[in-house]
Amino acid sequence: MIKAVDLVKDFGQRRAVDGVSFEVQQGTVLGFLGPNGAGKTTTIRMVAGFLPPTQGNIHVKGINVASDPVAAQKSIGYMPETTPLYEDMSVAGFLRFLAEVRGFSGKERDSRVDRAIERCFLGPVRSQTIDTLSKGYR
Ligand SMILES: Nc1ncnc2c1ncn2[C@@H]1O[C@H](COP(=O)(O)OP(=O)(O)OP(=O)(O)O)[C@@H](O)[C@H]1O
Ligand SMILES: [Mg+2]
């Protein structure tokens, strides 16, 4: 499902990831542990296709992430450490935007948005802006 081979990432002179290999089978829950600065976030960013590795390669469902990131990303759900939200959008508007980015339109898009809202219990806040909601948590 996920196969990383000899991953290396250099930021200038600093080697952030130094020869990491691992394999994750479908249905597995994997914890990725290590001390601060060990290179966990950098590794996950490479797996998610946000950073190209300096060396090595990653395949997700057999797709090389570096050479075809969009195809690989169709199988990846990634929650980054800082959430990239457009805060002036409403909850439903943001989900609609994401559905469209993922290639859904019309009734298919609307039903997917409704399903996400129902699954995540977002009904009461669907029309509120993310900005208004996040202020309550700051
Ligand atoms: N964009 C960057 N530019 C330069 N150096 C970076 C960059 N990102 C990470 N580093 C460096 O690479 C090393 C690995 O960082 P990384 O954030 O991947 O570690 P981590 O295991 O996620 O740490 P933490 O447990 O603190 O989250 C660190 O030395 C860090 O300072
Ligand atoms: Mg980290």
Side-chain angles (χ1 to χ4, degrees):
M1 182 74 188
I2 302 172
K3 187 171 185 187
V5 178
D6 293 333
L7 286 182
V8 172
K9 182 68 189 179
D10 291 334
F11 293 109
Q13 298 293 310
R14 182 181 290 272
R15 179 150 292 189
V17 174
D18 188 6
V20 170
S21 300
F22 60 91
E23 207 167 328
V24 189
Q25 301 303 332
Q26 185 156 358
T28 309
V29 177
L30 178 76
F32 197 39
L33 308 179
N36 296 137
K40 303 179 296 292
T41 296
T42 304
T43 300
I44 296 299
R45 285 180 178 152
M46 292 192 283
V47 171
F50 285 99
L51 275 179
T54 305
Q55 281 173 47
N57 60 69
I58 305 143
H59 286 81
V60 173
K61 278 190 170 174
I63 300 163
N64 187 317
V65 176
S67 52
D68 200 351
V70 173
Q73 283 164 351
K74 287 186 176 165
S75 301
I76 297 173
Y78 174 56
M79 173 74 88
E81 288 168 21
T82 50
T83 21
L85 297 167
Y86 294 113
E87 301 223 332
D88 56 341
M89 291 176 106
S90 68
V91 170
F94 185 68
L95 290 171
R96 204 174 302 124
F97 164 68
L98 287 181
E100 285 174 1
V101 165
R102 289 170 191 213
F104 300 106
S105 59
K107 285 191 177 146
E108 173 76 7
R109 173 201 60 200
D110 294 346
S111 71
R112 281 174 180 266
V113 168
D114 286 344
R115 202 182 329 146
I117 286 174
E118 196 184 318
R119 276 187 178 172
C120 301
F121 308 101
L122 293 171
V125 297
R126 65 177 293 150
S127 304
Q128 292 190 47
T129 64
I130 295 163
D131 185 42
T132 313
L133 289 165
S134 57
K135 274 185 185 129
Y137 295 98
R138 275 181 196 142

